[in-house]
Amino acid sequence: MRILSGVQPSGKLHLGNYFGAIRQFVELQHKGEALYFIANLHALNSVRDGRLAYALTLETAAAFLALGLDADKAILFRQSDIGELGEAYWVLGTLVPMGNLERAHSYKDKKARGLPADFGLFAYPVLMAADILIYGSDVVPVGKDQIQHLEFCRDWATKFNVAYVPGYDAANPNGENGSPQGIFKLPEAFVCEETAVLLGIDGQKMSKSYGNTIELFGEDKEVKKKMMSIKTDSSPIEAPKPAENSALFGLLQAMAPPGEWPEIETSWREGGIGYGTYKKKLVDYFHLYFDEPRKRFAELMGDKAELEKILEKGAQRARAYAAPIIQKMRAAVGISRSG
Ligand code: ADP
Ligand code: TRP
């Protein structure tokens, strides 16, 4: 099973990113051949500062490694290092109905909010589909917001196969009835549903767009300050505390050592401990959980040449997966000689 996903380096990583996405990606490296890339081309839609874009790309790569991704097992690479992607993106784009792109949430939502939309944002799902198809991915772990992009990807792969693979039967994409396999494999979305949405320090969903995050690799002082300022209600110390919609409760649940969680949960529901005490516990749990990765992150960021080397090696391995598929695609559309 070939597992592939991309992460945009578009901001400082926070606890929501870890518990909602990165942790699952790291676990999945043991379930098949995992390819993970830093989607730095996609991020150009939102980061318009070259220095920052470069720094965030390396930080995101270092974060994955520090948080447990094994670069000898999984393939970690940078999207822009695979030059062939641009060609596949164009070829695929020649088959993409405008109507699909006009319906894409990424574009529609921005337009609905009255914000100016660029071609890059409009074309974003095509680049994402090319990302998925050129590596022959079977499974793509993504958040719910990306499901539509996966559906488009399957539709466009089918269109391509129907157009360019003689005898391809869209009803039997795996050739069960003796029809030929497509050049592009149809990927499945894998939605990591069971993770709770972590709330930020203001009680809304934790998101860099709301400025309410707790960063994974922020300064100790900053982390503590943020944690101590998590919004809570006015329940007195002795009162039972509401768990629902409580950012503090959710964060404790995510980070408390399994042995301590039952006690925390019981006291939370029965009362007797004040929010301030829970916040101090949260700071301790954060350090217990993340101090090792934070140390590794600092080491990795201190040796950018080594990081670049890891990414280059990843790109070489990724290219080997892409090469046979790209070759077939080029021959099929007639930009290289077939046979
Ligand atoms: P942000 O909302 O900060 O811009 P992204 O959209 O870049 O975050 O999120 C990247 C991934 O991190 C998402 O696919 C999602 O799975 C996960 N994620 C982000 N915020 C949260 C959160 N508050 N709780 C759980 N998962 C989250
Ligand atoms: N669009 C994805 C996101 O914003 C990132 C991404 C780019 C991606 N290319 C991909 C995810 C290919 C999965 C597969 O989260």
Side-chain angles (χ1 to χ4, degrees):
M1 182 172 73
R2 213 169 277 180
I3 304 161
L4 170 127
S5 199
V7 179
Q8 290 200 46
S10 48
K12 301 273 177 194
L13 292 167
H14 54 75
L15 288 171
N17 295 143
Y18 178 70
F19 288 103
I22 301 174
R23 186 172 62 168
Q24 282 81 317
F25 287 1
V26 170
E27 278 168 14
L28 278 170
Q29 71 183 326
H30 305 294
K31 300 266 157 59
E33 309 163 294
L35 290 92
Y36 295 132
F37 63 91
I38 314 301
N40 61 336
L41 295 174
H42 275 104
L44 296 182
N45 281 315
S46 54
V47 182
R48 298 231 165 99
D49 170 337
R51 261 171 195 273
L52 179 64
Y54 181 77
L56 288 174
T57 299
L58 288 196
E59 279 180 25
T60 308
F64 269 82
L65 296 167
L67 291 163
L69 195 83
D70 176 354
D72 290 323
K73 189 167 167 48
I75 301 179
L76 178 68
F77 64 105
R78 173 166 45 200
Q79 186 181 31
S80 60
D81 283 345
I82 311 298
E84 298 89 325
L85 176 67
E87 192 176 81
Y89 156 71
W90 178 260
V91 168
L92 201 60
T94 62
L95 287 163
V96 170
M98 285 292 283
N100 284 176
L101 298 182
E102 279 157 3
R103 274 199 296 119
H105 299 312
S106 39
Y107 167 74
K108 229 172 84 179
D109 293 354
K110 194 150 186 182
K111 258 193 86 188
R113 282 187 283 142
L115 298 166
D118 305 297
F119 172 74
L121 186 71
F122 190 65
Y124 162 134
V126 187
L127 185 61
M128 178 160 166
D131 280 330
I132 296 168
L133 298 175
I134 65 170
Y135 305 106
S137 319
D138 298 299
V139 175
V140 182
V142 282
K144 280 202 203 94
D145 60 323
Q146 299 292 321
I147 293 176
Q148 186 195 37
H149 295 146
L150 259 294
E151 284 164 2
F152 284 152
C153 177
R154 289 173 61 93
D155 288 353
W156 303 336
T158 304
K159 275 194 99 171
F160 180 91
N161 291 336
V162 167
Y164 288 110
V165 179
Y168 181 78
D169 178 0
N172 289 286
N174 299 317
E176 294 89 348
N177 59 350
S179 59
Q181 301 256 340
I183 291 173
F184 290 140
K185 216 190 255 178
L186 307 192
E188 301 282 344
F190 171 79
V191 184
C192 326
E193 298 241 31
E194 72 273 30
T195 50
V197 168
L198 282 189
L199 304 180
I201 59 173
D202 60 355
Q204 298 185 80
K205 179 194 166 202
M206 188 181 289
S207 168
K208 61 178 175 287
S209 353
Y210 301 144
N212 64 357
T213 65
I214 298 168
E215 287 174 19
L216 285 166
F217 302 107
E219 302 271 331
D220 287 1
K221 246 178 37 201
E222 188 60 24
V223 168
K224 181 166 180 195
K225 204 171 123 200
K226 293 259 183 86
M227 289 186 171
M228 298 312 286
S229 69
I230 292 171
K231 202 174 132 196
T232 48
D233 66 11
S234 53
S235 307
I237 292 180
E238 58 291 350
K241 314 281 183 292
E244 208 161 304
N245 298 324
S246 163
L248 183 54
F249 183 82
L251 289 164
L252 284 165
Q253 187 168 29
M255 281 185 284
E260 291 194 27
W261 173 243
E263 208 180 303
I264 300 269
E265 193 181 14
T266 309
S267 68
W268 188 277
R269 295 191 194 280
E270 290 176 353
I273 295 180
Y275 285 128
T277 308
Y278 285 123
K279 288 179 180 177
K280 286 194 195 113
K281 276 186 190 288
L282 186 67
V283 176
D284 293 342
Y285 293 159
F286 172 85
H287 285 292
L288 216 55
Y289 204 117
F290 291 110
D291 272 359
E292 267 304 308
R294 284 158 63 83
K295 207 171 108 207
R296 261 181 285 147
F297 178 81
E299 284 163 8
L300 287 158
M301 288 307 291
D303 191 352
K304 304 226 167 60
E306 177 60 23
L307 262 179
E308 283 284 359
K309 244 197 254 165
I310 294 172
L311 290 174
E312 182 43 43
K313 203 171 134 212
Q316 273 176 27
R317 290 168 69 201
R319 243 178 251 125
Y321 281 80
I325 298 168
I326 294 274
Q327 209 181 347
K328 282 189 202 146
M329 177 200 83
R330 301 189 90 227
V333 302
I335 55 179
S336 73
R337 219 172 72 183
S338 66

